[in-house]
Amino acid sequence: MKHIHIIGIGTGNPEHVTIQAINAMNAADVVFLPVKGTGKEELAEIRREICERYITRPGSRVCEFAVPQRQTADRTYTQSVDVWHGEVARIYRELISGLPENGGGAFLVWGDPSLYDSTIRIIERVRQETGLDFDYSVIPGITSIQALAASHKIPVNLVGKPIEITTGRKLARDGLLTDSTIVMLDGEQAFAKIDDPDAEIFWGAYLGTKDEIVRSGRLGDIATEIQALRAEARQRQGWIMDIYLLRKGRDFEE
Amino acid sequence: MKHIHIIGIGTGNPEHVTIQAINAMNAADVVFLPVKGTGKEELAEIRREICERYITRPGSRVCEFAVPQRQTADRTYTQSVDVWHGEVARIYRELISGLPENGGGAFLVWGDPSLYDSTIRIIERVRQETGLDFDYSVIPGITSIQALAASHKIPVNLVGKPIEITTGRKLARDGLLTDSTIVMLDGEQAFAKIDDPDAEIFWGAYLGTKDEIVRSGRLGDIATEIQALRAEARQRQGWIMDIYLLRKGRDFEE
């Protein structure tokens, strides 16, 4: 039976890659590399560098494929995601069909396959909708949450306290609910609308890469600076990936 | 100046270790290995195996040290943690004092240093309370959350939805609040008290090790089986580390 490895590769630093990921890459006949179009060339470059650095298996191939853009016009968020998954599933199906009999393929996933990534969902969809005969395994990778905390040299949680991981969309709607709130996928800079005198922010962009920027401080003091930095960096690079932790309270407060 | 590396080593599978972690271990003159007393010998064994497998620097030393137990009698939870941190800080101070001038030391941390681990806090405390002159860096590692999701081959979040990471103590007190709730540090099996016909559980123990056990299903159907499995495994091994995801709802429900 064909086997697919869904491999987390960390967040931009090729040294985030685990030994398990390297072994899985080398167990595959073909490594599939997504290319997400203009402005994101640097991400494809990092994936290529990881392949060049770590793949040592003779005769293994790297196969690049274009990822379609999610179309949002006249669709709710979940509809747009669902339709987009369907399009990506058709591409995955072709890639998997093209593998040699009993061969192995690998999909490299930014960060970790379990966190705000749909490779697992889409691979399941291919299995269920096409009857294509293959199995798959998942290899964990370093997430941007961990890269953020490492760069700031902080624990994410307060002692014994919970953590919420959420999206910019939801933070904008519900406000700050937990002592430690990690916000991902925030295109609208929802942090700037939080009016809480106790909140601190730990922000990072391009984490793990040579362009990494981090800032921290009282949210009220530095929200404007971060917005300006973010806009400028996005203009310069043509794209941005950022993440932040909002924190209230202190360790050992009951 | 002396330099301390706080290194996440993953959750039991020596292949969880990243290239960055291997390089940091090899940048240190001394690697400090915590030994947590009887019953947890296997954890010390895994740390030793990681050192043997990956440390190649000539002349580097591995130094084992005993970690005191947290005393809970007549103390609140946070008091007991605070006092315990103070005791560990005195040990860290001695270890760091013993490093050669401008030398490097490494602390290996189970999982990731940012998640329910206090090495960063205690190292900061040593710096602030003793005036000892050193700096430190943090290297992220694979957490048991990621190992759990990889073994179950599932994303942790539903599409576009948030995640809560919490403790057994808090789940028991507050109940199930979020679509996807990860529970760590649950000695009291709080999941068994959740009465929610929609909840699914994805449970794992000894993740990443040869003794890994995973179970998933509707919480109401398998809570009793997991309690029995857990008690039996704990009896057999002398210790247990487990974690689970409770999930309600489905992808693409608005």
Side-chain angles (χ1 to χ4, degrees):
Chain A
M1 201 191 287
K2 293 177 183 180
H3 190 88
I4 299 300
H5 307 264
I6 303 176
I7 306 175
I9 57 168
T11 65
N13 182 344
E15 295 194 356
H16 282 172
V17 171
T18 68
I19 298 295
Q20 191 183 26
I22 293 173
N23 290 343
M25 275 186 248
N26 282 295
D29 299 279
V30 187
V31 176
F32 301 119
L33 280 198
V35 181
K36 292 198 176 168
T38 49
K40 296 225 172 163
E41 259 309 301
E42 278 165 88
L43 301 183
E45 262 319 309
I46 293 166
R47 287 192 177 88
R48 283 183 203 120
E49 188 186 336
I50 286 171
C51 290
E52 279 163 26
R53 209 189 272 204
Y54 299 119
I55 299 177
T56 52
R57 172 185 171 134
S60 82
R61 285 195 308 125
V62 173
C63 167
E64 299 198 355
F65 66 99
V67 180
Q69 289 236 315
R70 181 164 60 86
Q71 303 299 328
T72 52
D74 303 323
R75 289 172 186 165
T76 66
Y77 173 74
T78 54
Q79 281 170 343
S80 76
V81 172
D82 190 29
V83 171
W84 180 64
H85 284 185
E87 291 166 14
V88 178
R90 280 191 288 281
I91 296 170
Y92 282 12
R93 178 193 179 167
E94 276 183 46
L95 295 173
I96 296 168
S97 299
L99 286 172
E101 208 172 332
N102 298 315
F107 288 92
L108 306 190
V109 173
W110 204 256
D112 182 88
S114 75
L115 191 67
Y116 295 113
D117 181 86
S118 280
T119 309
I120 297 175
R121 275 184 202 97
I122 297 172
I123 287 285
E124 266 300 333
R125 189 156 167 168
V126 173
R127 278 227 299 201
Q128 284 164 20
E129 291 184 1
T130 69
L132 207 59
D133 194 30
F134 66 93
D135 62 10
Y136 67 99
S137 50
V138 178
I139 315 291
I142 299 298
T143 67
S144 55
I145 299 176
Q146 295 158 281
L148 178 76
S151 285
H152 283 285
K153 303 198 281 192
I154 50 166
V156 171
N157 61 289
L158 298 172
V159 170
K161 296 281 181 71
I163 300 163
E164 187 182 26
I165 305 172
T166 192
T167 61
R169 175 190 302 262
K170 189 164 168 297
L171 180 71
R173 198 188 61 199
D174 301 343
L176 200 52
L177 303 174
T178 320
D179 307 284
S180 295
T181 304
I182 292 272
V183 185
M184 302 179 73
L185 308 174
D186 182 6
E188 49 191 303
Q189 295 156 79
F191 62 84
K193 289 158 209 145
I194 301 292
D195 182 18
D196 188 322
D198 295 328
E200 288 177 290
I201 185 169
F202 298 84
W203 176 81
Y206 313 107
L207 288 162
T209 75
K210 62 176 176 26
D211 301 309
E212 174 170 312
I213 317 170
V214 294
R215 285 292 183 284
S216 65
R218 212 179 63 85
L219 179 60
D221 295 338
I222 66 165
T224 310
E225 181 195 343
I226 292 174
Q227 281 185 296
L229 255 177
R230 192 184 185 280
E232 188 196 314
R234 190 184 184 173
Q235 177 76 25
R236 192 176 54 239
Q237 308 278 123
W239 62 283
I240 193 160
M241 286 208 305
D242 63 339
I243 179 175
Y244 52 92
L245 166 67
L246 298 176
R247 197 166 73 182
K248 299 197 291 187
R250 310 214 161 272
D251 284 330
F252 304 119
E253 281 174 358
E254 295 273 358
Chain B
M1 202 191 288
K2 293 177 183 180
H3 189 87
I4 298 300
H5 307 264
I6 303 177
I7 305 175
I9 56 167
T11 65
N13 181 345
E15 295 195 354
H16 281 171
V17 171
T18 67
I19 298 295
Q20 190 182 27
I22 294 173
N23 290 341
M25 276 186 245
N26 282 296
D29 298 279
V30 187
V31 175
F32 301 119
L33 280 199
V35 180
K36 293 199 173 166
T38 50
K40 296 227 173 161
E41 258 308 302
E42 277 166 87
L43 300 184
E45 263 318 310
I46 292 167
R47 288 191 176 90
R48 283 184 203 118
E49 189 187 333
I50 286 172
C51 291
E52 278 162 29
R53 207 188 272 205
Y54 299 120
I55 298 178
T56 53
R57 173 185 170 134
S60 82
R61 285 195 308 125
V62 172
C63 168
E64 299 198 355
F65 66 99
V67 180
Q69 289 236 313
R70 182 163 60 86
Q71 303 299 328
T72 52
D74 304 324
R75 289 172 185 165
T76 66
Y77 173 75
T78 53
Q79 281 170 345
S80 76
V81 172
D82 191 29
V83 170
W84 180 64
H85 283 184
E87 290 166 14
V88 178
R90 280 191 288 281
I91 297 169
Y92 281 11
R93 178 194 179 165
E94 275 182 46
L95 294 173
I96 296 168
S97 299
L99 285 173
E101 208 172 329
N102 299 317
F107 288 92
L108 305 191
V109 173
W110 203 258
D112 183 89
S114 75
L115 192 66
Y116 295 112
D117 181 86
S118 280
T119 309
I120 297 174
R121 278 185 199 96
I122 298 172
I123 287 285
E124 266 300 331
R125 188 155 165 169
V126 173
R127 279 228 299 201
Q128 284 163 19
E129 290 183 0
T130 69
L132 207 60
D133 194 29
F134 67 93
D135 62 11
Y136 68 99
S137 50
V138 178
I139 315 290
I142 299 298
T143 67
S144 55
I145 298 176
Q146 295 159 281
L148 177 76
S151 285
H152 284 285
K153 304 198 280 192
I154 51 166
V156 171
N157 62 287
L158 298 173
V159 170
K161 295 282 181 68
I163 300 162
E164 187 181 26
I165 305 171
T166 193
T167 60
R169 173 191 303 262
K170 191 165 167 295
L171 180 71
R173 198 188 62 199
D174 300 343
L176 199 53
L177 303 174
T178 320
D179 308 283
S180 296
T181 303
I182 292 272
V183 185
M184 303 179 74
L185 309 174
D186 183 3
E188 49 192 302
Q189 295 155 78
F191 63 85
K193 290 157 210 145
I194 300 292
D195 181 18
D196 188 322
D198 295 329
E200 288 177 291
I201 185 168
F202 299 84
W203 176 82
Y206 314 106
L207 287 162
T209 76
K210 63 175 174 30
D211 301 310
E212 174 169 315
I213 317 171
V214 294
R215 285 293 182 281
S216 65
R218 214 179 62 86
L219 179 60
D221 295 336
I222 66 165
T224 310
E225 181 196 342
I226 292 174
Q227 281 185 298
L229 255 177
R230 191 184 186 281
E232 188 196 314
R234 189 185 185 171
Q235 177 76 25
R236 190 175 57 239
Q237 307 277 127
W239 62 283
I240 192 161
M241 286 207 307
D242 63 340
I243 177 173
Y244 52 92
L245 165 66
L246 297 177
R247 199 167 71 180
K248 300 197 291 187
R250 311 215 159 270
D251 284 331
F252 304 119
E253 281 175 359
E254 295 273 357

